[in-house]
Amino acid sequence: HAARDLDTGAIVAWEATPSEGKGTGDVSVGTRLVEELDGEGVEMSAVLADGAYDGKPFRVASHRAGARCVVPPPVNANVSTASRPPPWADERDEQVVACHEDRAAWKRASGYHARSTVETTFSRWQALFGDRLRSRLWERQLLELEARVWIMNRTVVRSVA
């Protein structure tokens, strides 16, 4: 899992997780990444993620960080029925209505398509390193990933400079 700065292309936060287990899902990990960046004082105008991140904890963390949460709700999503929904729910309700009316138009208007640059980052990752880690021990895998993130960020800096 990785958070990428859309302006610089750099990976600004990342977390490796085992393939299964508590706290390894997209919503859980995404929430931790947003909270980490917010705790470091990183200004986020928007957080873009695919539909797998459409969960209350992720939306709450994005709202607390002062960022718009640009995540497409599921096709069968409904607006909140609470008499006084929390502020983050208002944003989601607007997204649900807009997506029911015209999902493609919502994606264009919200800037959701900028999320595709994250997929480009992972494509570059695989081109540089392949899709497997060489280390077998978890601690060494984390070090290998940290080195790869550093290399990726150096290549971004060099290509932009």
Side-chain angles (χ1 to χ4, degrees), residues 50-55 59 71-79 92 95-100 103 106:
D50 65 33
Y53 291 83
D54 182 46
R59 289 186 175 274
V71 176
V75 175
N76 61 351
N78 295 311
V79 295
R92 183 177 189 272
Q95 293 171 351
V96 169
V97 170
C99 285
H100 282 309
R103 195 172 194 83
W106 171 80

mmCIF file of all heavy atoms in Angstrom, residues 50-55 59 71-79 92 95-100 103 106:
data_model
loop_
_atom_site.group_PDB
_atom_site.id
_atom_site.type_symbol
_atom_site.label_atom_id
_atom_site.label_comp_id
_atom_site.label_asym_id
_atom_site.label_seq_id
_atom_site.Cartn_x
_atom_site.Cartn_y
_atom_site.Cartn_z
ATOM 1 N N ASP A 50 -9.296 3.921 -4.859
ATOM 2 C CA ASP A 50 -10.332 3.163 -5.559
ATOM 3 C C ASP A 50 -11.433 2.751 -4.584
ATOM 4 O O ASP A 50 -11.356 2.999 -3.384
ATOM 5 C CB ASP A 50 -9.740 1.977 -6.320
ATOM 6 C CG ASP A 50 -9.131 0.919 -5.413
ATOM 7 O OD1 ASP A 50 -9.623 0.703 -4.293
ATOM 8 O OD2 ASP A 50 -8.157 0.285 -5.842
ATOM 9 N N GLY A 51 -12.469 2.128 -5.120
ATOM 10 C CA GLY A 51 -13.656 1.807 -4.341
ATOM 11 C C GLY A 51 -13.422 0.896 -3.150
ATOM 12 O O GLY A 51 -14.229 0.869 -2.222
ATOM 13 N N ALA A 52 -12.323 0.155 -3.135
ATOM 14 C CA ALA A 52 -12.032 -0.726 -2.006
ATOM 15 C C ALA A 52 -11.796 0.064 -0.712
ATOM 16 O O ALA A 52 -11.875 -0.488 0.384
ATOM 17 C CB ALA A 52 -10.822 -1.600 -2.317
ATOM 18 N N TYR A 53 -11.514 1.354 -0.838
ATOM 19 C CA TYR A 53 -11.261 2.201 0.328
ATOM 20 C C TYR A 53 -12.521 2.898 0.839
ATOM 21 O O TYR A 53 -12.450 3.718 1.739
ATOM 22 C CB TYR A 53 -10.188 3.247 -0.008
ATOM 23 C CG TYR A 53 -8.825 2.647 -0.202
ATOM 24 C CD1 TYR A 53 -8.451 2.085 -1.423
ATOM 25 C CD2 TYR A 53 -7.899 2.620 0.832
ATOM 26 C CE1 TYR A 53 -7.204 1.523 -1.600
ATOM 27 C CE2 TYR A 53 -6.642 2.059 0.659
ATOM 28 C CZ TYR A 53 -6.307 1.509 -0.556
ATOM 29 O OH TYR A 53 -5.071 0.948 -0.719
ATOM 30 N N ASP A 54 -13.670 2.598 0.259
ATOM 31 C CA ASP A 54 -14.920 3.239 0.668
ATOM 32 C C ASP A 54 -15.400 2.634 1.982
ATOM 33 O O ASP A 54 -16.194 1.703 2.007
ATOM 34 C CB ASP A 54 -15.997 3.077 -0.406
ATOM 35 C CG ASP A 54 -17.284 3.780 -0.014
ATOM 36 O OD1 ASP A 54 -17.208 4.936 0.427
ATOM 37 O OD2 ASP A 54 -18.362 3.166 -0.136
ATOM 38 N N GLY A 55 -14.890 3.167 3.068
ATOM 39 C CA GLY A 55 -15.260 2.716 4.397
ATOM 40 C C GLY A 55 -15.233 3.884 5.357
ATOM 41 O O GLY A 55 -14.507 4.859 5.160
ATOM 42 N N ARG A 59 -12.826 7.390 5.405
ATOM 43 C CA ARG A 59 -13.476 8.682 5.156
ATOM 44 C C ARG A 59 -13.329 9.619 6.362
ATOM 45 O O ARG A 59 -13.095 10.809 6.198
ATOM 46 C CB ARG A 59 -14.935 8.484 4.791
ATOM 47 C CG ARG A 59 -15.081 7.877 3.394
ATOM 48 C CD ARG A 59 -16.527 7.792 2.951
ATOM 49 N NE ARG A 59 -16.622 7.334 1.584
ATOM 50 C CZ ARG A 59 -16.548 8.113 0.514
ATOM 51 N NH1 ARG A 59 -16.369 9.411 0.655
ATOM 52 N NH2 ARG A 59 -16.642 7.613 -0.700
ATOM 53 N N VAL A 71 -13.424 8.889 -3.408
ATOM 54 C CA VAL A 71 -13.507 7.439 -3.510
ATOM 55 C C VAL A 71 -14.878 7.104 -4.069
ATOM 56 O O VAL A 71 -15.891 7.511 -3.491
ATOM 57 C CB VAL A 71 -13.334 6.771 -2.126
ATOM 58 C CG1 VAL A 71 -13.526 5.274 -2.216
ATOM 59 C CG2 VAL A 71 -11.982 7.111 -1.530
ATOM 60 N N PRO A 72 -14.937 6.378 -5.180
ATOM 61 C CA PRO A 72 -16.252 6.057 -5.728
ATOM 62 C C PRO A 72 -16.997 5.076 -4.829
ATOM 63 O O PRO A 72 -16.443 4.043 -4.447
ATOM 64 C CB PRO A 72 -15.931 5.426 -7.081
ATOM 65 C CG PRO A 72 -14.543 4.912 -6.951
ATOM 66 C CD PRO A 72 -13.851 5.815 -5.985
ATOM 67 N N PRO A 73 -18.222 5.403 -4.468
ATOM 68 C CA PRO A 73 -19.006 4.460 -3.672
ATOM 69 C C PRO A 73 -19.445 3.280 -4.537
ATOM 70 O O PRO A 73 -19.456 3.378 -5.766
ATOM 71 C CB PRO A 73 -20.207 5.296 -3.225
ATOM 72 C CG PRO A 73 -20.301 6.407 -4.202
ATOM 73 C CD PRO A 73 -18.925 6.649 -4.722
ATOM 74 N N PRO A 74 -19.796 2.161 -3.915
ATOM 75 C CA PRO A 74 -20.271 1.023 -4.695
ATOM 76 C C PRO A 74 -21.508 1.406 -5.515
ATOM 77 O O PRO A 74 -22.239 2.328 -5.159
ATOM 78 C CB PRO A 74 -20.637 -0.025 -3.641
ATOM 79 C CG PRO A 74 -19.946 0.394 -2.404
ATOM 80 C CD PRO A 74 -19.765 1.873 -2.482
ATOM 81 N N VAL A 75 -21.729 0.692 -6.590
ATOM 82 C CA VAL A 75 -22.858 0.979 -7.480
ATOM 83 C C VAL A 75 -24.187 0.904 -6.724
ATOM 84 O O VAL A 75 -25.106 1.676 -6.990
ATOM 85 C CB VAL A 75 -22.854 -0.007 -8.673
ATOM 86 C CG1 VAL A 75 -24.066 0.176 -9.556
ATOM 87 C CG2 VAL A 75 -21.580 0.154 -9.475
ATOM 88 N N ASN A 76 -24.273 0.012 -5.744
ATOM 89 C CA ASN A 76 -25.528 -0.158 -5.000
ATOM 90 C C ASN A 76 -25.566 0.649 -3.699
ATOM 91 O O ASN A 76 -26.414 0.400 -2.837
ATOM 92 C CB ASN A 76 -25.766 -1.635 -4.707
ATOM 93 C CG ASN A 76 -24.665 -2.244 -3.849
ATOM 94 O OD1 ASN A 76 -23.634 -1.618 -3.602
ATOM 95 N ND2 ASN A 76 -24.868 -3.469 -3.414
ATOM 96 N N ALA A 77 -24.690 1.634 -3.546
ATOM 97 C CA ALA A 77 -24.642 2.441 -2.314
ATOM 98 C C ALA A 77 -25.889 3.309 -2.193
ATOM 99 O O ALA A 77 -26.481 3.729 -3.189
ATOM 100 C CB ALA A 77 -23.401 3.322 -2.320
ATOM 101 N N ASN A 78 -26.274 3.565 -0.959
ATOM 102 C CA ASN A 78 -27.411 4.434 -0.665
ATOM 103 C C ASN A 78 -26.949 5.617 0.172
ATOM 104 O O ASN A 78 -25.944 5.531 0.870
ATOM 105 C CB ASN A 78 -28.491 3.668 0.102
ATOM 106 C CG ASN A 78 -29.091 2.554 -0.724
ATOM 107 O OD1 ASN A 78 -29.478 2.775 -1.857
ATOM 108 N ND2 ASN A 78 -29.140 1.356 -0.163
ATOM 109 N N VAL A 79 -27.718 6.702 0.121
ATOM 110 C CA VAL A 79 -27.403 7.854 0.955
ATOM 111 C C VAL A 79 -27.722 7.522 2.401
ATOM 112 O O VAL A 79 -28.542 6.643 2.694
ATOM 113 C CB VAL A 79 -28.155 9.123 0.494
ATOM 114 C CG1 VAL A 79 -27.709 9.548 -0.884
ATOM 115 C CG2 VAL A 79 -29.644 8.909 0.541
ATOM 116 N N ARG A 92 -19.932 11.870 1.211
ATOM 117 C CA ARG A 92 -20.202 10.573 0.577
ATOM 118 C C ARG A 92 -21.585 10.558 -0.055
ATOM 119 O O ARG A 92 -21.763 10.052 -1.166
ATOM 120 C CB ARG A 92 -20.074 9.432 1.573
ATOM 121 C CG ARG A 92 -20.286 8.077 0.908
ATOM 122 C CD ARG A 92 -20.085 6.929 1.886
ATOM 123 N NE ARG A 92 -20.088 5.658 1.205
ATOM 124 C CZ ARG A 92 -21.188 4.944 0.966
ATOM 125 N NH1 ARG A 92 -22.372 5.395 1.328
ATOM 126 N NH2 ARG A 92 -21.115 3.780 0.340
ATOM 127 N N GLN A 95 -21.495 12.119 -3.299
ATOM 128 C CA GLN A 95 -20.852 11.228 -4.266
ATOM 129 C C GLN A 95 -21.799 10.117 -4.712
ATOM 130 O O GLN A 95 -21.850 9.768 -5.897
ATOM 131 C CB GLN A 95 -19.571 10.633 -3.677
ATOM 132 C CG GLN A 95 -18.490 11.663 -3.460
ATOM 133 C CD GLN A 95 -17.303 11.117 -2.687
ATOM 134 O OE1 GLN A 95 -17.325 10.006 -2.154
ATOM 135 N NE2 GLN A 95 -16.237 11.908 -2.608
ATOM 136 N N VAL A 96 -22.578 9.575 -3.768
ATOM 137 C CA VAL A 96 -23.535 8.519 -4.102
ATOM 138 C C VAL A 96 -24.558 9.038 -5.106
ATOM 139 O O VAL A 96 -24.821 8.405 -6.134
ATOM 140 C CB VAL A 96 -24.238 7.979 -2.831
ATOM 141 C CG1 VAL A 96 -25.423 7.085 -3.191
ATOM 142 C CG2 VAL A 96 -23.251 7.230 -1.948
ATOM 143 N N VAL A 97 -25.115 10.218 -4.833
ATOM 144 C CA VAL A 97 -26.113 10.803 -5.735
ATOM 145 C C VAL A 97 -25.500 11.076 -7.107
ATOM 146 O O VAL A 97 -26.072 10.722 -8.148
ATOM 147 C CB VAL A 97 -26.712 12.093 -5.121
ATOM 148 C CG1 VAL A 97 -27.555 12.838 -6.137
ATOM 149 C CG2 VAL A 97 -27.524 11.759 -3.877
ATOM 150 N N ALA A 98 -24.313 11.689 -7.117
ATOM 151 C CA ALA A 98 -23.660 12.021 -8.382
ATOM 152 C C ALA A 98 -23.330 10.760 -9.183
ATOM 153 O O ALA A 98 -23.496 10.733 -10.407
ATOM 154 C CB ALA A 98 -22.396 12.834 -8.127
ATOM 155 N N CYS A 99 -22.881 9.715 -8.502
ATOM 156 C CA CYS A 99 -22.540 8.471 -9.201
ATOM 157 C C CYS A 99 -23.780 7.765 -9.733
ATOM 158 O O CYS A 99 -23.733 7.131 -10.792
ATOM 159 C CB CYS A 99 -21.736 7.545 -8.292
ATOM 160 S SG CYS A 99 -20.026 8.070 -8.072
ATOM 161 N N HIS A 100 -24.901 7.855 -8.993
ATOM 162 C CA HIS A 100 -26.143 7.267 -9.499
ATOM 163 C C HIS A 100 -26.619 7.998 -10.753
ATOM 164 O O HIS A 100 -27.146 7.382 -11.678
ATOM 165 C CB HIS A 100 -27.244 7.295 -8.435
ATOM 166 C CG HIS A 100 -27.104 6.228 -7.395
ATOM 167 N ND1 HIS A 100 -26.935 4.902 -7.690
ATOM 168 C CD2 HIS A 100 -27.131 6.306 -6.043
ATOM 169 C CE1 HIS A 100 -26.842 4.197 -6.568
ATOM 170 N NE2 HIS A 100 -26.959 5.028 -5.543
ATOM 171 N N ARG A 103 -21.918 8.239 -13.297
ATOM 172 C CA ARG A 103 -20.652 7.886 -12.653
ATOM 173 C C ARG A 103 -19.447 8.457 -13.410
ATOM 174 O O ARG A 103 -18.515 8.966 -12.807
ATOM 175 C CB ARG A 103 -20.555 6.366 -12.543
ATOM 176 C CG ARG A 103 -19.496 5.868 -11.607
ATOM 177 C CD ARG A 103 -19.648 4.348 -11.440
ATOM 178 N NE ARG A 103 -18.899 3.847 -10.327
ATOM 179 C CZ ARG A 103 -19.287 3.846 -9.065
ATOM 180 N NH1 ARG A 103 -20.453 4.328 -8.733
ATOM 181 N NH2 ARG A 103 -18.521 3.359 -8.114
ATOM 182 N N TRP A 106 -19.098 12.104 -12.717
ATOM 183 C CA TRP A 106 -18.583 12.342 -11.368
ATOM 184 C C TRP A 106 -17.060 12.148 -11.354
ATOM 185 O O TRP A 106 -16.333 12.947 -10.774
ATOM 186 C CB TRP A 106 -19.226 11.392 -10.340
ATOM 187 C CG TRP A 106 -18.538 11.496 -9.011
ATOM 188 C CD1 TRP A 106 -18.717 12.460 -8.066
ATOM 189 C CD2 TRP A 106 -17.499 10.641 -8.511
ATOM 190 N NE1 TRP A 106 -17.861 12.254 -7.010
ATOM 191 C CE2 TRP A 106 -17.096 11.136 -7.264
ATOM 192 C CE3 TRP A 106 -16.866 9.508 -9.007
ATOM 193 C CZ2 TRP A 106 -16.117 10.544 -6.490
ATOM 194 C CZ3 TRP A 106 -15.873 8.915 -8.240
ATOM 195 C CH2 TRP A 106 -15.507 9.429 -6.994
#
